């Protein structure tokens, strides 16, 4: 009898151990009770908030190969074929076609598919892989909100749409690029009334030295005025979110001095995590439906920080390069920025920002969704969420969280013009 | 009467100017315009130019990074180690010998420290240094060059935005940007991991 009991006990212990081991590998909720599991996988200020009960993250297992297939087969094939074709301008970190010695006008796939962390230019190469992956979806647009949130809930909400077109890293080269741009964007504020009608046009010229061209149309004065590129580091409408948070970095690669500081693993915020369906709605247009990322401030009975996401966002463990970026522009408000970039998918998931005095003050969490055509030949990676948290003021902002978007593969360049900028508010 | 004499006398002067060859008049006007342009360039434009923002505040230490020849680190846990300049780069000196380390790690630490200003100075008697992570400190770092600077590195403040340090032998505690800990952690990583060959 005693022998049977001992055997049963041993079996129970074995089973418990097996279940425990499986739960480590499988899905779990990271929270204040098990925060230790994320040591080294999250920036310190984020882990501190998990430990304090501010955040609960749903962590899911990931099929790395299937995740990789979020990008089209042609993207991976082009990346492989790019090996050895590109170099960097040592002074500016500008991309250089080895054959011509000049900036190329179209590069599909990773220009640097193999990264050696000991290479002095490794960080700049990772930055180029990131920049060009942002552009694979060609043109895109969505209507979304920016929500300022503090401990009491939402204190400001701005609704706007943003349309963008990419030239440099698209799947298929667009020869209709009269202004030699890398990319362009147009945004229009819809709410609230004090921001309504403010339109912004942005252009990135495809060279190594020029600053971003940014124009803002203010309806009260009926005038468009040029804005300094450094304004990408200004808070948007007083919120804890910045234009440079789009994709976690929205400037030209050449605008920063990049440095490789290490490698590791992080918990990456993803919608999905696998590619969503692109539904054709025209010869060059696709719609993508995305599950809404509900915030705690709009979820009754929710606990923790009001700005955390409570639905449809998962976290997956990803290998990353850890980069530093620093602008040499004295008007840029950020000092050292630390970014965690996916080694394979070239996404920046987290960035920690110091001000010019060296004080850390802000972390942005950048969540993405992926979409792919039915035949697998066209894919897009799109920033769907920025959770910007100001740890000095204990305030945050959520940006994005749109539940539908369109992809447009044949935008008319005239759509992104100064004329369009002022006409939008007529 | 010559043209010069006419210029001195009333109405005749206008006639004289009118009779000057057009090329000469254009040259005089161009010279006047150039002189005015120079005055504007030297006096008006500098006032319109936006001044580059300047760093304000008192530096934490008076440090010239290029003057530093050696950096000694005594960590709270573990054995002491040093970095020294050698052949235009930096080496780490460990009990087992010395190896080349990436120069940007040392240069980054020293340049960051040189650029930091005092955010807050805590200068109260009977301070409990343990509350700031300074008894014992996380590490004591001594920079040797033309002069010697010793820094005790403590904990970050509660929101993790800044770092408590002491510039020894001074007794007060100074709050500096947390970026210094980021740079210091990169140095300590060099002592933990095999050095990168040049």
């Amino acid at each position: 009898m005693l022998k049977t009991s001992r055997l049963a006990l041993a079996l129970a212990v074995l089973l418990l151990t097996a279940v425990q081991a499986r739960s480590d590998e499988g899905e779990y909720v990271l929270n204040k009770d098990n925060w230790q599991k994320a040591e080294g996988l999250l920036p310190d200020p984020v882990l501190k908030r998990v430990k304090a009960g501010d955040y609960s993250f749903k962590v899911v297992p990931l099929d790395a190969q299937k995740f990789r297939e979020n990008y089209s087969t042609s993207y991976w094939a082009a990346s492989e074929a790019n090996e050895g074709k590109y170099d960097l301008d040592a002074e500016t970190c500008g991309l250089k076609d080895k054959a011509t010695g000049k900036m190329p006008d179209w590069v599909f796939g990773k220009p640097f598919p193999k990264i050696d962390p000991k290479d002095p230019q490794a960080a700049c190469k990772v930055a180029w892989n990131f920049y060009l992956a942002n552009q694979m979806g060609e043109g895109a647009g969505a209507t979304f909100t920016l929500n300022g949130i503090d401990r009491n809930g939402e204190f400001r909400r701005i609704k706007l749409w943003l349309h963008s077109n990419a030239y440099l890293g698209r799947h298929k080269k667009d020869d209709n690029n009269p202004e030699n741009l890398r990319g362009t964007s147009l945004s229009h504020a819809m709410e609230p009334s004090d921001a309504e009608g403010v339109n912004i046009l942005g252009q990135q010229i495809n060279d190594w030295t020029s600053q971003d061209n940014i124009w803002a149309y203010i309806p009260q004065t009926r005038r468009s005025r040029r804005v300094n590129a450094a304004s990408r580091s200004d808070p948007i409408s007083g919120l804890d979110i910045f234009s440079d948070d789009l994709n976690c970095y929205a400037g030209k690669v050449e605008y920063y001095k990049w440095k490789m500081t290490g490698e590791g693993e992080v918990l990456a915020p993803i919608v999905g995590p696998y590619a969503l369906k692109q539904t054709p709605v025209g010869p060059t247009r696709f719609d993508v439906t995305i599950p809404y990322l509900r915030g705690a401030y709009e979820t009754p009975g929710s606990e923790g920080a009001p700005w955390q996401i409570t639905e449809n966002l998962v976290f997956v463990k990803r290998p990353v390069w850890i980069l530093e970026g620093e602008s040499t522009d004295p008007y840029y408000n950020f000092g050292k920025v630390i970014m965690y970039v996916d080694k394979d998918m070239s996404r920046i998931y987290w960035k920690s920002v110091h001000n010019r005095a060296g004080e850390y003050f802000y972390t942005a969490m950048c969540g993405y969704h992926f979409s792919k055509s039915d035949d697998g030949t066209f894919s897009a990676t799109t920033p769907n969420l920025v959770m910007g948290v100001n740890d000095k003021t204990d305030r945050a902002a959520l940006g994005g969280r749109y539940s539908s978007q369109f992809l447009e593969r044949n935008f008319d360049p005239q759509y992104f013009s100064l004329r369009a900028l002022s006409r939008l508010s007529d | 009467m010559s043209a010069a004499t006419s210029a001195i006398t009333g109405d005749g002067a206008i006639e004289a100017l009118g009779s000057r060859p057009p090329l000469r008049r254009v040259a005089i006007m161009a010279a006047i315009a150039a002189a005015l342009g120079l005055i504007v360039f030297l006096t008006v434009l500098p006032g319109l130019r936006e001044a580059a923002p300047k760093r304000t505040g008192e530096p934490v230490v008076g440090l010239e990074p290029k003057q530093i020849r050696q950096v000694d680190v005594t960590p709270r846990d573990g054995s002491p180690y040093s970095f020294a300049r050698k052949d235009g780069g930096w080496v780490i000196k460990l009990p087992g010998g010395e190896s080349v380390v990436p120069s940007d790690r040392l240069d980054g630490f020293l340049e960051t420290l040189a650029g930091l200003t005092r955010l807050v100075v805590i200068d109260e008697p009977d301070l409990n240094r343990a509350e700031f992570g300074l008894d014992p400190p996380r590490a004591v770092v001594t920079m040797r060059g033309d002069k010697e600077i010793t820094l005790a590195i403590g904990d970050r403040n509660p929101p993790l935005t800044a770092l408590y340090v002491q510039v020894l032998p001074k007794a007060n505690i100074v709050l500096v940007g947390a970026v210094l800990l980021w740079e210091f952690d990169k140095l300590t990583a060099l002592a933990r991991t095999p050095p990168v060959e040049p």
Side-chain angles (χ1 to χ4, degrees):
Chain A
M1 182 67 185
L2 190 64
K3 218 171 187 179
T4 314
S5 302
R6 275 184 185 164
L7 188 65
L9 187 66
L11 279 172
V13 169
L14 268 175
L15 189 66
L16 199 66
T17 312
V19 167
Q20 182 66 38
R22 191 173 168 188
S23 69
D24 284 342
E25 297 300 316
E27 183 178 319
Y28 65 95
V29 175
L30 180 74
N31 57 28
K32 62 179 190 251
D33 299 322
N34 61 357
W35 63 272
Q36 296 91 339
K37 281 184 161 193
E39 275 185 302
L41 295 175
L42 292 169
D44 283 354
V46 181
L47 185 64
K48 188 182 168 221
R49 286 185 181 275
V50 173
K51 190 177 173 183
D54 270 349
Y55 298 156
S56 294
F57 293 158
K58 183 180 175 183
V59 182
V60 300
L62 188 74
D63 179 336
Q65 180 56 34
K66 195 175 169 192
F67 190 59
R68 199 168 196 265
E69 288 164 11
N70 283 347
Y71 291 165
S72 64
T73 46
S74 50
Y75 175 83
W76 293 115
S79 298
E80 207 172 310
N82 285 341
E83 176 66 28
K85 279 189 189 170
Y86 298 101
D87 201 352
L88 294 166
D89 175 60
E91 196 178 330
T92 61
C93 176
L95 187 63
K96 190 194 286 184
D97 187 332
K98 278 186 181 173
T100 62
K102 292 179 181 170
M103 176 77 217
D105 59 1
W106 178 62
V107 182
F108 178 52
K110 293 184 184 188
F112 303 102
K114 290 177 188 160
I115 300 292
D116 175 2
K118 291 177 190 169
D119 176 355
Q121 292 182 310
C124 185
K125 290 177 177 176
V126 172
W128 270 110
N129 287 347
F130 155 76
Y131 183 91
L132 290 168
N134 294 342
Q135 295 208 331
M136 74 170 76
E138 306 187 351
T143 299
F144 60 96
T145 58
L146 303 174
N147 310 80
I149 302 163
D150 62 16
R151 289 282 171 189
N152 298 315
E154 184 184 57
F155 62 87
R156 185 166 166 81
R157 176 181 181 270
I158 298 170
K159 186 177 180 185
L160 66 158
W161 57 250
L162 173 70
H163 297 169
S164 64
N165 196 23
Y167 289 100
L168 191 60
R170 49 195 294 135
H171 271 69
K172 190 178 170 204
K173 188 179 179 186
D174 187 348
D175 289 320
N176 190 9
N177 181 11
E179 295 184 88
N180 186 33
L181 303 179
R182 283 181 190 170
T184 181
S185 64
L186 188 62
S187 66
H188 171 73
M190 301 155 80
E191 296 173 13
S193 55
D194 61 334
E196 185 186 350
V198 173
N199 308 321
I200 295 175
L201 173 69
Q203 287 185 336
Q204 288 187 338
I205 309 288
N206 191 26
D207 64 19
W208 296 337
T209 52
S210 68
Q211 300 272 347
D212 287 5
N213 295 333
I214 306 173
W215 292 272
Y217 176 81
I218 312 296
Q220 286 80 2
T221 60
R222 299 180 65 80
R223 292 281 182 280
S224 298
R225 69 180 181 90
R226 186 81 181 264
V227 181
N228 190 315
S231 67
R232 286 184 291 102
S233 61
D234 292 342
I236 300 174
S237 198
L239 301 179
D240 297 289
I241 201 164
F242 305 84
S243 300
D244 244 352
D245 289 342
L246 194 69
N247 284 306
C248 261
Y249 178 63
K252 288 174 77 164
V253 172
E254 296 91 337
Y255 195 74
Y256 269 10
K257 296 290 177 201
W258 301 86
K259 197 188 278 186
M260 171 74 75
T261 63
E263 52 192 301
E265 285 185 317
V266 296
L267 292 179
I270 302 285
V271 182
Y274 303 111
L276 304 173
K277 182 181 171 59
Q278 294 174 351
T279 306
V281 291
T284 58
R285 190 167 284 225
F286 304 84
D287 277 354
V288 181
T289 301
I290 308 128
Y292 179 64
L293 303 179
R294 188 176 299 280
Y297 73 95
E298 53 191 347
T299 309
S302 185
E303 293 179 349
W307 52 82
Q308 70 167 326
I309 301 298
T310 55
E311 286 177 23
N312 296 318
L313 187 72
V314 297
F315 290 78
V316 295
K317 200 190 273 188
R318 295 296 300 161
V320 289
W321 300 116
I322 304 168
L323 303 190
E324 283 176 12
E326 202 161 4
S327 172
T328 51
D329 183 343
Y331 295 101
Y332 193 74
N333 289 323
F334 297 169
K336 190 159 283 181
V337 180
I338 298 153
M339 288 162 277
Y340 300 81
V341 193
D342 194 307
K343 284 183 177 178
D344 203 26
M345 306 296 276
S346 305
R347 303 294 74 215
I348 303 178
Y349 299 118
W350 299 96
K351 75 168 177 185
S352 301
V353 185
H354 298 84
N355 61 22
R356 286 276 178 181
E359 274 183 285
Y360 156 76
F361 75 100
Y362 178 74
T363 290
M365 176 182 88
C366 300
Y368 300 87
H369 72 261
F370 303 88
S371 64
K372 202 160 74 162
S373 62
D374 285 342
D375 63 4
T377 58
F378 176 68
S379 60
T381 168
T382 320
N384 191 294
L385 167 72
V386 174
M387 182 177 83
V389 180
N390 188 325
D391 280 300
K392 279 190 88 172
T393 58
D394 194 31
R395 242 176 46 158
L398 294 174
R401 302 189 299 148
Y402 43 92
S403 48
S404 71
Q405 73 164 152
F406 68 82
L407 301 171
E408 173 56 63
R409 302 195 66 184
N410 191 27
F411 257 127
D412 179 354
Q414 287 305 309
Y415 179 70
F416 299 91
S417 64
L418 279 170
R419 196 173 177 193
L421 184 72
S422 51
R423 285 198 166 182
L424 278 175
S425 295
D426 281 349
Chain B
M1 195 162 60
S2 70
T5 316
S6 299
I8 298 165
T9 60
D11 296 340
I14 298 164
E15 284 173 27
L17 277 171
S19 64
R20 276 178 183 161
L23 194 63
R24 193 174 166 197
R25 270 190 294 159
V26 169
I28 290 169
M29 287 167 73
I32 293 168
L36 287 172
L38 187 66
I39 290 166
V40 168
F41 180 76
L42 293 175
T43 59
V44 180
L45 289 184
L48 296 176
R49 204 174 296 147
E50 219 173 341
K54 287 178 185 168
R55 184 163 290 180
T56 53
E58 193 184 345
V60 178
V61 290
L63 175 75
E64 178 49 58
K66 287 185 178 148
Q67 301 291 327
I68 301 299
R69 292 189 297 271
Q70 184 165 327
V71 178
D72 298 334
V73 181
T74 307
R76 181 164 47 202
D77 309 309
S79 309
Y81 51 92
S82 299
F83 300 95
R85 286 192 192 272
K86 190 173 183 183
D87 302 332
W90 286 89
V91 292
I92 185 168
K93 293 178 171 178
L94 292 163
E98 63 179 40
S99 338
V100 175
V101 292
S103 296
D104 65 331
R105 298 288 175 98
L106 272 299
D107 295 339
F109 175 77
L110 294 172
E111 280 161 19
T112 299
L113 180 58
L116 286 178
T117 53
R118 298 167 183 225
L119 302 172
V120 175
V121 178
I122 303 163
D123 203 359
E124 295 163 18
D126 306 325
L127 277 174
N128 181 1
R129 284 171 212 293
E131 288 178 4
F132 302 90
L134 287 161
D135 188 18
R138 179 190 301 262
V140 175
V141 184
T142 304
M143 288 142 283
R144 302 178 201 278
D146 290 349
K147 57 181 180 177
E148 195 173 297
I149 297 166
T150 302
L151 199 70
I153 297 178
D155 285 345
R156 281 178 288 183
N157 62 350
L160 310 183
T161 59
L163 180 71
Y164 298 109
V165 300
Q166 241 183 306
V167 184
L168 298 172
K170 287 181 186 169
N172 59 20
I173 295 172
V174 182
L175 194 64
V176 303
V179 72
L180 184 65
L181 185 61
W182 171 257
E183 294 295 334
F184 177 71
D185 282 346
K186 288 194 291 179
L187 289 193
T188 58
L190 292 175
R192 284 197 307 266
T193 54
V196 177
E197 291 304 322

